[in-house]
Amino acid sequence: MHDNIRNSRLAGPNTRAVHGGQHVDPSTGAVTTPIYATSTFVQQAPGVHKGYEYARSQNPTRAAFEAAIADAERGHAAFAFASGLAAEAAILDLAPHGSHVVASEDLYGGSWRLFHRVRNHSANLEATHVDPADPAAIRAAIRPNTAFIWIETPSNPLLRLADLEAVAAIGREHGVLTVVDNTFASPAVQRPLEHDIDIVVHSVTKYIGGHSDIVGGAIVVRDAELEQKLAFLQNATGGILDPFSSFLALRGIKTLPLRMQRHGDNALAIARWLEAHPRVERVIYPGLQSHPQHDLATRQMSNGGGMVAAYLKADEQQTVEVLKRFRLIALAESLGAVESLVGQPWTMSHGSLPEADRLARGIRPNLIRLSIGIEDVEDLTEDLEQALAII
């Protein structure tokens, strides 16, 4: 928990997760950063203080989490927000009115809604959706006013991958900022900044928090210029992460590598089990050799992650009945927690997309998305078996 850990090449991922960017509390010697539930801080003289003046601008608990996630992503600096979408909105604030974004065609429904139903109206933002695995398509979509290339890898919900180094190279070539939503992988599985991406965004609610008990977002940047711009925007727009959630997110970071290894091991086992199941049409998981981008996954991810998508041999009503039958796996929004969750993107995570767009992206009523937790695999497969038996 010392400064030398942050830049040490000797510190392994678990050591960095526990100690990276952290300091012993100076006032008490506490090993864990306390929850500083205070709105303001005493100044020795006007403008002279200990680095903290007002809790929207700075908070020690939030700062500790930001240092930890910056270290986890090997970034220059990080900023914590009240939700993943609040973090995404702050990134969009970097761009002038009337800008354009080239975005993944397989995109989280909330991001699509933010681009098309909020910022198109309020900031005249335009978005073009392309296959992020196709460099030619990305290049062809870039306009003079393009501010961002914005991708998810793996994507939500179909787990498509993008070559991070190829995307970063296109961004540098055209002078466009590259943004990667790393929520589905987490920095324990993939670190886009190490592939020259400019900005990483997370829903902290998911794997980083990891326990279904907080909502939060984070941005990690690669250089000082972006740090200055995001620091201004975080303070100016005010969508900050509160101290208690920051404390829980910091706790989550410390066990992230251990949890992600278990998530990945379990997800691979479940994906293989589903692939052999007679009631399953198709399984999508980067760790499977059947995934069309499996080789890319092995190059830029430490494992296949904890998310599995599957098309059932079922109609819409049968799919709904399967989802209602789960006993251990919870039918719920969100993902990335220690408990396994299941959802139907058609009506849940991507329900805000127009039906034609959902169908064009391969989001059909018989698609289910599984967030595989850290339970025993045998219990998960037993629950899957009894739920699928209705088909």
Side-chain angles (χ1 to χ4, degrees):
M1 56 180 38
H2 307 290
D3 289 337
N4 64 338
I5 292 291
R6 182 179 177 110
N7 297 311
S8 173
R9 295 184 179 181
L10 300 177
N14 289 286
T15 303
R16 294 187 73 135
V18 174
H19 298 290
Q22 299 306 293
H23 307 273
V24 171
D25 180 61
S27 58
T28 65
V31 171
T32 301
T33 303
I35 301 171
Y36 285 89
T38 181
S39 61
T40 192
F41 302 84
V42 170
Q43 301 186 23
Q44 293 93 325
V48 180
H49 49 77
K50 297 180 180 180
Y52 301 96
E53 51 185 328
Y54 185 61
R56 186 190 68 248
S57 305
Q58 314 95 4
N59 175 275
T61 315
R62 189 175 81 234
F65 167 62
E66 290 171 336
I69 193 169
D71 186 84
E73 284 284 8
R74 312 299 191 261
H76 179 79
F79 303 91
F81 290 82
S83 69
L85 281 169
E88 292 191 359
I91 295 171
L92 293 179
D93 282 336
L94 290 168
H97 187 277
S99 291
H100 172 251
V101 57
V102 178
S104 301
E105 61 184 1
D106 187 18
L107 193 71
Y108 167 52
S111 302
W112 188 95
R113 183 176 57 230
L114 177 62
F115 291 170
H116 292 276
R117 299 185 61 186
V118 179
R119 290 306 178 88
N120 177 257
H121 169 75
S122 65
N124 197 30
L125 179 78
E126 291 186 297
T128 301
H129 296 276
V130 301
D131 180 356
D134 184 352
I138 297 174
R139 286 191 177 91
I142 291 175
R143 305 176 186 175
N145 64 331
T146 299
F148 307 106
I149 300 170
W150 190 300
I151 65 169
E152 296 175 3
T153 182
S155 66
N156 184 2
L158 294 174
L159 305 174
R160 295 170 178 162
L161 307 184
D163 186 322
L164 292 169
E165 291 181 2
V167 171
I170 295 170
R172 290 195 305 273
E173 175 186 339
H174 292 272
V176 174
L177 287 173
T178 49
V179 181
V180 169
D181 185 337
N182 201 28
T183 297
F184 265 37
S186 90
V189 172
Q190 170 180 272
R191 290 182 290 276
L193 299 181
E194 294 186 329
H195 299 273
D196 294 329
I197 294 297
D198 296 305
I199 300 172
V200 167
V201 62
H202 283 280
S203 173
V204 172
T205 313
K206 314 307 194 288
Y207 285 113
I208 292 168
H211 293 78
S212 296
D213 54 9
I214 61 169
V215 172
I219 300 169
V220 188
V221 298
R222 61 176 289 115
D223 61 38
E225 181 180 356
L226 285 169
E227 176 190 17
Q228 292 178 354
K229 291 177 179 180
L230 264 303
F232 170 79
L233 288 170
Q234 184 191 45
N235 184 54
T237 60
I240 56 169
L241 191 63
D242 67 275
F244 183 61
S245 295
S246 297
F247 176 85
L248 293 176
L250 179 58
R251 181 196 64 179
I253 281 277
K254 294 179 186 297
T255 61
L256 183 62
L258 287 172
R259 288 187 287 107
M260 291 311 301
Q261 184 61 55
R262 177 72 173 190
H263 284 300
D265 290 347
N266 277 4
L268 179 59
I270 294 296
R272 287 172 172 164
W273 185 89
L274 287 169
E275 201 167 40
H277 200 285
R279 295 182 178 89
V280 176
E281 177 184 307
R282 181 189 170 203
V283 179
I284 307 171
Y285 181 67
L288 289 176
Q289 291 188 346
S290 59
H291 192 288
Q293 297 168 295
H294 177 68
D295 289 345
L296 177 60
T298 60
R299 293 201 308 272
Q300 65 185 27
M301 301 173 68
S302 63
N303 65 43
M307 302 299 299
V308 178
Y311 291 98
L312 306 183
K313 292 179 180 178
D315 59 26
E316 183 170 4
Q317 186 56 44
Q318 288 174 319
T319 302
V320 170
E321 292 303 316
V322 168
L323 293 169
K324 289 164 60 177
R325 283 175 62 90
F326 283 110
R327 299 166 182 164
L328 177 65
I329 302 171
L331 174 59
E333 296 280 5
S334 199
L335 58 104
V338 291
E339 64 274 357
S340 293
L341 305 174
V342 65
Q344 183 191 39
W346 178 258
T347 55
M348 297 171 69
S349 61
H350 290 69
S352 61
L353 272 68
E355 180 175 318
D357 286 357
R358 279 176 278 163
L359 291 172
R361 286 162 170 75
I363 302 171
R364 305 198 306 266
N366 66 327
L367 174 70
I368 65 170
R369 189 191 73 182
L370 289 154
S371 173
I372 304 301
I374 65 171
E375 303 97 337
D376 292 303
V377 168
E378 296 79 8
D379 293 321
L380 296 175
T381 54
E382 180 180 341
D383 196 29
L384 283 160
E385 184 62 70
Q386 66 82 24
L388 290 170
I390 198 172
I391 301 175

